[in-house]
Amino acid sequence: HFTQCSNHWNSPTSASPDLYGPRLNVPRHWREKGFGKMYAKDGSYCAGITMYGCDNGKPHCREYIQVLLDEPLVPGQLYEMTLWVAHLDGSLWAGNLGGYFSEDKISEIGASLLEKDPQVLWKDAIVVKEGSWLRLQKTFSAEVDARYLTIGNFFPDDRTTTSGESFLNYAYYYLDDVSVHKIDPILTRDTSTLVPDPVETNRFYA
């Protein structure tokens, strides 16, 4: 299970995203479909999630990865979120990849869609050249002092744009090098009312 294998990143639902890297074996029946052929953008590990396919009967048709931020967001502060994506050859291209920032950690029983309103969204189908990584970048203004970031598709299939021809009836993407940082001007915050964060960190070993 992703949460057991990954340091610091976790799955907010019962669905299990995938982790790729040294000493992690991809089962043969998945290797035959092309899973695990993509190497990490940087470092040794990357994650993989299913983003589309519920209406086509795909089990775990929505997968997400979640992490505790180094510090809470500052309301009113402008941020830039960046991540790199690659695509499983043979699966569909899909849109609605989003980043949802929340004050509380998400822990859902079940593997269904998380119906959230992501503050960062790449709505159009993400087309990535086979074997390549694509850099995605968006700016947003923080509305609350969120402490967690969850990445995935928060919309149902009938609201998700897809394209391409495939022998797999779902969309699957690899994720790596996620970052969130402030954009000038940097706002200050009153730290006197802050409470310590849980003992977690967001270093992306997955």
Side-chain angles (χ1 to χ4, degrees):
H1 193 278
F2 179 85
T3 299
Q4 297 174 338
C5 295
S6 173
N7 291 329
H8 315 302
W9 289 77
N10 67 82
S11 173
T13 71
S14 299
S16 177
D18 302 309
L19 184 64
Y20 300 96
R23 303 181 302 278
L24 293 175
N25 180 54
V26 178
R28 180 179 176 180
H29 66 284
W30 291 114
R31 292 200 311 270
E32 292 173 347
K33 295 181 180 179
F35 289 85
K37 290 184 178 180
M38 198 69 196
Y39 291 97
K41 168 66 175 59
D42 287 308
S44 300
Y45 297 90
C46 64
I49 61 171
T50 301
M51 288 178 43
Y52 174 91
C54 301
D55 292 348
N56 296 328
K58 171 71 167 65
H60 290 197
C61 59
R62 288 293 185 278
E63 295 171 333
Y64 305 88
I65 57 174
Q66 178 178 238
V67 72
L68 175 69
L69 300 173
D70 279 336
E71 61 181 36
L73 298 184
V74 178
Q77 174 68 54
L78 191 64
Y79 288 86
E80 180 180 85
M81 177 177 170
T82 301
L83 73 158
W84 289 77
V85 299
H87 178 255
L88 173 65
D89 186 40
S91 74
L92 294 165
W93 290 313
N96 281 345
L97 177 62
Y100 175 67
F101 294 86
S102 60
E103 297 175 86
D104 299 316
K105 186 175 184 178
I106 300 173
S107 298
E108 293 284 340
I109 298 175
S112 59
L113 167 74
L114 289 178
E115 296 189 65
K116 305 293 183 181
D117 187 14
Q119 296 88 340
V120 177
L121 179 65
W122 289 273
K123 189 172 181 61
D124 296 332
I126 302 169
V127 179
V128 189
K129 183 179 178 182
E130 181 182 352
S132 300
W133 286 92
L134 176 67
R135 184 173 185 260
L136 301 179
Q137 180 180 309
K138 289 273 189 178
T139 60
F140 69 98
S141 179
E143 297 180 355
V144 297
D145 53 350
R147 297 165 55 244
Y148 289 89
L149 166 62
T150 303
I151 300 173
N153 180 2
F154 301 91
F155 299 88
D157 282 0
D158 61 6
R159 294 180 59 192
T160 298
T161 301
T162 61
S163 64
E165 297 180 359
S166 71
F167 65 88
L168 300 173
N169 60 357
Y170 52 88
Y172 187 93
Y173 286 84
Y174 301 93
L175 308 175
D176 203 358
D177 280 4
V178 179
S179 67
V180 178
H181 65 84
K182 297 175 182 175
I183 299 176
D184 289 331
I186 306 301
L187 302 182
T188 58
R189 66 182 298 160
D190 179 8
T191 60
S192 62
T193 60
L194 296 180
V195 295
D197 285 333
V199 182
E200 296 185 46
T201 180
N202 74 340
R203 289 170 178 79
F204 191 29
Y205 296 112

